[in-house]
Amino acid sequence: MKDKKLIRFSILSFGFVVALFFCGAGLSAQTPEELLKLTQDNTAFFTTDFSGKYTVVQEKPGEGKSLTEAIMYRRDKTSQWTILVTGPGKEKGKGYLQSGGSIWFYDPSDKRFTFTSAKDKFQNTNANNSDFAPQYYYRDYTIESAEKVKLGAYNCVLFNLVAKVESVDYPRLKLWVTETDGLVRKKEDYSLSGQLLRTTAVPSYQIVEHEGKKYSVPVSMLIMDNLRGKKIAGKMQYERTQISISNVSFSKVDDIVYTKPYLEMMGDR
């Protein structure tokens, strides 16, 4: 009984100390939980559709680069999204669809849909399918610790997060979040044992205004796979994927875009 009381006291003490730390650090009395909730909300667009052009460059050490171009459509309020691959030529017409809790991949060469998952790699890059969707940091993770740090020129809060559900891609995360706006600047994905698996950097954001509201969308994201790489000239170089986002729009998208018939129709062009 004493051990349970001690554990409970330790958890409450941690929350109290961190809350005091945040209040004293000039964060407008914002608690770690409130900041993490803001960070989660910044990745989702629940009141509008979203679309944008995605340019994905995969770099494998010693093997050069490969390019994928795609258009992304999202309707976050219904957890639907569609990715239509537009280039290069041999990949054109392929597509991904999330609807009804399932993710499907469409290949126009054999006109078939195959089931895939959020954890699977997008077009054999270092990006997961889930990287293109809202990130539920507040809902799916518990804050293990939070501290103020500098990341380059940014004043950030560094979160150590532990998953509280099994459906996440990674059981442990480190998240560097700008303390003033709740935007992710860097993320490290870890295994349960604490091995670093991936590192993601988000150097800059674009502010897009729609119907009087401003949305923050990454200009680019750089994902480095900390497990896949080669030694070149005696130095370890890891696989990297850069995702650039342009032509962003928050206008309503036709309902048919979030359906299998749409991918079939576009794949036949």
Side-chain angles (χ1 to χ4, degrees), residues 88-123:
K90 64 179 181 179
E91 302 294 318
K92 187 176 181 180
K94 293 181 178 180
Y96 297 77
L97 171 69
Q98 175 173 289
S99 184
S102 299
I103 301 178
W104 300 91
F105 169 70
Y106 179 68
D107 190 340
S109 63
D110 57 13
K111 301 185 184 300
R112 290 181 56 189
F113 284 89
T114 55
F115 181 76
T116 182
S117 76
K119 298 180 182 181
D120 287 340
K121 299 300 182 184
F122 172 75
Q123 293 294 98

Side-chain angles (χ1 to χ4, degrees), residues 50-100:
F50 164 86
S51 61
K53 178 182 177 182
Y54 281 62
T55 302
V56 183
V57 179
Q58 169 77 4
E59 184 177 356
K60 294 186 177 183
E63 300 180 29
K65 300 179 180 181
S66 61
L67 170 71
T68 299
E69 294 179 322
I71 300 175
M72 174 96 197
Y73 303 95
R74 279 171 47 181
R75 183 170 289 171
D76 293 344
K77 65 181 178 181
T78 55
S79 298
Q80 293 175 288
W81 54 257
T82 297
I83 301 177
L84 178 65
V85 178
T86 58
K90 64 179 181 179
E91 302 294 318
K92 187 176 181 180
K94 293 181 178 180
Y96 297 77
L97 171 69
Q98 175 173 289
S99 184

Side-chain angles (χ1 to χ4, degrees), residues 6-242:
L6 180 60
I7 291 172
R8 185 181 178 189
F9 175 77
S10 298
I11 293 172
L12 291 174
S13 297
F14 165 74
F16 178 69
V17 170
V18 172
L20 282 179
F21 168 76
F22 269 59
C23 292
L27 287 179
S28 304
Q30 188 167 223
T31 67
E33 288 78 11
E34 289 170 338
L35 183 60
L36 190 64
K37 178 65 164 56
L38 174 61
T39 301
Q40 173 178 289
D41 292 345
N42 281 336
T43 73
F45 314 114
F46 289 119
T47 61
T48 179
D49 281 356
F50 164 86
S51 61
K53 178 182 177 182
Y54 281 62
T55 302
V56 183
V57 179
Q58 169 77 4
E59 184 177 356
K60 294 186 177 183
E63 300 180 29
K65 300 179 180 181
S66 61
L67 170 71
T68 299
E69 294 179 322
I71 300 175
M72 174 96 197
Y73 303 95
R74 279 171 47 181
R75 183 170 289 171
D76 293 344
K77 65 181 178 181
T78 55
S79 298
Q80 293 175 288
W81 54 257
T82 297
I83 301 177
L84 178 65
V85 178
T86 58
K90 64 179 181 179
E91 302 294 318
K92 187 176 181 180
K94 293 181 178 180
Y96 297 77
L97 171 69
Q98 175 173 289
S99 184
S102 299
I103 301 178
W104 300 91
F105 169 70
Y106 179 68
D107 190 340
S109 63
D110 57 13
K111 301 185 184 300
R112 290 181 56 189
F113 284 89
T114 55
F115 181 76
T116 182
S117 76
K119 298 180 182 181
D120 287 340
K121 299 300 182 184
F122 172 75
Q123 293 294 98
N124 296 316
T125 67
N126 306 115
N128 300 340
N129 292 331
S130 60
D131 291 326
F132 298 90
Q135 304 296 303
Y136 292 103
Y137 302 121
Y138 178 79
R139 185 192 71 182
D140 294 342
Y141 289 86
T142 297
I143 300 174
E144 189 175 59
S145 66
E147 61 177 312
K148 283 174 59 74
V149 297
K150 288 284 284 187
L151 182 67
Y154 296 111
N155 293 316
C156 292
V157 174
L158 169 59
F159 288 98
N160 282 279
L161 304 177
V162 180
K164 53 187 176 183
V165 296
E166 295 183 357
S167 57
V168 297
D169 290 5
Y170 303 100
R172 302 183 70 91
L173 300 179
K174 283 188 177 182
L175 208 61
W176 285 257
V177 176
T178 323
E179 63 183 19
T180 54
D181 52 23
L183 296 177
V184 175
R185 299 294 175 174
K186 181 181 176 182
K187 180 168 72 80
E188 291 181 346
D189 306 315
Y190 289 84
S191 68
L192 191 60
S193 65
Q195 182 177 17
L196 178 60
L197 304 175
R198 294 195 319 169
T199 302
T200 301
V202 188
S204 61
Y205 285 80
Q206 52 193 305
I207 307 299
V208 181
E209 188 168 352
H210 176 73
E211 296 183 348
K213 186 173 181 179
K214 294 181 179 180
Y215 300 92
S216 298
V217 180
V219 174
S220 64
M221 299 180 288
L222 181 63
I223 301 171
M224 183 171 69
D225 192 319
N226 294 95
L227 295 182
R228 300 161 67 179
K230 290 181 180 178
K231 270 193 175 182
I232 298 179
K235 184 178 180 181
M236 192 65 187
Q237 297 185 22
Y238 294 100
E239 291 187 13
R240 297 150 45 111
T241 298
Q242 179 160 317

